[in-house]
């Protein structure tokens, strides 16, 4: 996903979808989403009508172009971040993994990694207006580092005796 425009499929609450391209960072502003559709027209879509925006690998026609077959994690995610469960306005449930950083404070919505990263959908943007309930299932962090245990056994041997300074200097110089 390193081009100047990203491939997306915008799913609306009316169940229809639009395929197109968005700018990677500034795709939503002032309650609208700016989308360049496949015919080359720039569309301004209201975030109130959008269920989610799926960043996809390729465009696919059909009933389910996002190919979101699995919407919940089958096991605990392994990467650091927040495991979130969202209930949308139409009572659909969606789980995802979000970074535990300041991007959660974005006023327009949440960026999630879907449970099945091998599907066509790589990332999902869910507008805040589409979310009716948000649950943090787990906070996933790095494993705690083990503290070194104190030495329980006494030293059996004394440390070696220091070498006299004059003897150290002689051994350091090599005769020519």
């Amino acid at each position: 996903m390193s081009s100047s425009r990203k491939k997306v499929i915008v799913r609306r609450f009316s169940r229809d979808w639009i395929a197109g391209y968005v700018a990677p960072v500034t795709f939503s502003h002032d309650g609208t989403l700016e989308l360049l559709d496949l015919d080359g027209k720039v569309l301004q879509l209201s975030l109130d009508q959008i269920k989610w925006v799926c960043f996809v690998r390729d465009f696919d026609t059909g009933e389910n172009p996002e190919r979101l077959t699995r919407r919940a994690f089958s096991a605990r995610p392994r990467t650091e971040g927040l495991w979130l469960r969202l209930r949308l306005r139409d009572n659909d449930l969606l789980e995802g993994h979000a970074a535990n950083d300041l991007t959660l404070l974005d006023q327009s919505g949440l960026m999630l990694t879907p449970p099945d990263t091998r599907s066509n959908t790589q990332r999902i943007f869910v507008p805040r207006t589409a979310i009716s309930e948000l649950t943090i299932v787990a906070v996933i962090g790095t494993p705690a580092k083990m503290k070194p245990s104190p030495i329980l056994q006494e030293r059996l041997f004394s440390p070696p005796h220091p070498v006299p300074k004059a003897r150290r200097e002689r051994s350091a110089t090599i005769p020519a």
Side-chain angles (χ1 to χ4, degrees), residues 42-93:
V42 177
L43 304 174
Q44 299 287 333
L45 303 172
S46 174
L47 289 178
D48 294 337
Q49 301 170 354
I50 296 174
K51 184 175 183 176
W52 58 54
V53 179
C54 291
F55 291 80
V56 295
R57 288 185 172 85
D58 57 6
F59 295 122
D60 187 21
T61 58
E63 186 89 13
N64 186 13
E66 307 100 322
R67 290 186 232 143
L68 279 174
T69 54
R70 200 172 60 168
R71 294 186 185 180
F73 288 103
S74 57
R76 185 175 189 254
R78 294 183 191 164
T79 55
E80 277 188 57
L82 298 174
W83 176 5
L84 301 176
R85 182 175 296 131
L86 287 75
R87 181 174 300 279
L88 304 178
R89 285 190 334 219
D90 61 351
N91 278 335
D92 271 356
L93 279 175

Side-chain angles (χ1 to χ4, degrees), residues 152-163:
L152 299 176
Q153 182 178 5
E154 294 181 21
R155 296 200 183 269
L156 297 176
F157 304 101
S158 61
H161 297 290
V163 178

Side-chain angles (χ1 to χ4, degrees), residues 160-172:
H161 297 290
V163 178
K165 186 176 180 182
R167 198 165 152 195
R168 271 188 287 170
E169 290 173 1
R170 273 188 274 149
S171 64

Side-chain angles (χ1 to χ4, degrees), residues 109-169:
L110 296 174
M111 188 67 80
L112 303 173
T113 303
D116 188 8
T117 56
R118 293 172 289 173
S119 70
N120 192 32
T121 301
Q122 295 176 319
R123 304 275 288 158
I124 302 173
F125 172 77
V126 182
R128 289 198 187 270
T129 56
I131 302 169
S132 66
E133 184 180 323
L134 176 99
T135 307
I136 299 175
V137 179
V139 178
I140 304 163
T142 56
K145 295 186 178 183
M146 299 286 290
K147 293 181 181 177
S149 61
I151 299 174
L152 299 176
Q153 182 178 5
E154 294 181 21
R155 296 200 183 269
L156 297 176
F157 304 101
S158 61
H161 297 290
V163 178
K165 186 176 180 182
R167 198 165 152 195
R168 271 188 287 170
E169 290 173 1

Side-chain angles (χ1 to χ4, degrees), residues 3 24 30 32 39 92 96 99 127 138 148 151 164 170:
S3 65
D30 298 331
T32 61
D39 295 329
D92 271 356
I151 299 174
R170 273 188 274 149

